[in-house]
Amino acid sequence: MPAKSAAQQKAAGAALSARRGDTPKSDLKGASKSMAGSMTEKQLEDFAAAKRKGKPEHVKS
């Protein structure tokens, strides 16, 4: 399932970086912090890998 907004994609990328050990988990905030704890590495890869072109910055739910 790809990200629906650029903000979601950025948060997934930050969470993936922390999950892999490239970034300290203590640096995560907000959505990226909750994504790192609740999603698998494969799910984070799917969110972060989608094309960003044409996506809105934020999507209202």
Side-chain angles (χ1 to χ4, degrees), residues 1-2 4-6 9 12 16 19 27 31 33-37 40-41 43 47 49 55 58 60:
M1 168 163 117
K4 294 183 180 177
S5 70
Q9 191 173 13
L16 182 59
R19 174 71 61 99
D27 287 354
K33 190 173 189 177
S34 65
M35 284 177 144
T40 66
E41 190 168 334
Q43 288 172 322
F47 260 67
K55 287 192 192 305
H58 294 280
K60 294 186 179 189

Side-chain angles (χ1 to χ4, degrees), residues 10-50:
K10 290 175 193 175
L16 182 59
S17 176
R19 174 71 61 99
R20 291 181 173 166
D22 298 332
T23 305
K25 288 187 179 183
S26 60
D27 287 354
L28 297 179
K29 298 176 185 167
S32 59
K33 190 173 189 177
S34 65
M35 284 177 144
S38 65
M39 297 176 75
T40 66
E41 190 168 334
K42 176 67 175 135
Q43 288 172 322
L44 291 170
E45 285 174 1
D46 290 345
F47 260 67

